[in-house]
Amino acid sequence: MVKFLRETRIEKGLTLRDLTEEMGVSYSHLSRAERGLSQPGLVVLLRWCRALDFPFGHLWEIASED
C-alpha cells in the first residue's frame, strides 16, 4: 500500500518535501514510512490519499492485492 502511494507521488512529479508540506506531517515521518521503517497511521494514510488526489477507499483494494 505504501509502495503504491510512493510510486503515485513520483508519477505525479511530487518530491517528498512537496508532499509533506501538503499533508502537514514531518519529512522524517513520511520518509520512514516510504522506506518501510514505520507504519503510517490511519490519519496519515487519509492525508496521503488526499494530497495525491487518490480515493481513500481504493487504498484497501490495493492492500488486499499485496
Side-chain angles (χ1 to χ4, degrees):
M1 172 173 15
V2 171
K3 180 181 176 186
F4 172 81
L5 291 171
R6 179 181 185 277
E7 291 169 356
T8 301
R9 171 183 65 79
I10 292 168
E11 286 174 8
K12 291 185 176 257
L14 295 170
T15 66
L16 191 56
R17 181 87 49 212
D18 294 335
L19 189 60
T20 59
E21 289 175 7
E22 176 73 26
M23 292 174 57
V25 298
S26 73
Y27 179 90
S28 62
H29 180 71
L30 202 58
S31 175
R32 284 191 311 269
E34 280 198 353
R35 291 181 287 142
L37 301 176
S38 68
Q39 293 294 318
L42 191 58
V43 172
V44 171
L45 288 173
L46 180 60
R47 288 181 182 179
W48 209 334
C49 287
R50 283 184 182 159
L52 294 174
D53 196 29
F54 184 80
F56 183 71
H58 289 119
L59 199 57
W60 304 122
E61 295 171 19
I62 292 166
S64 66
E65 293 173 3
D66 286 342

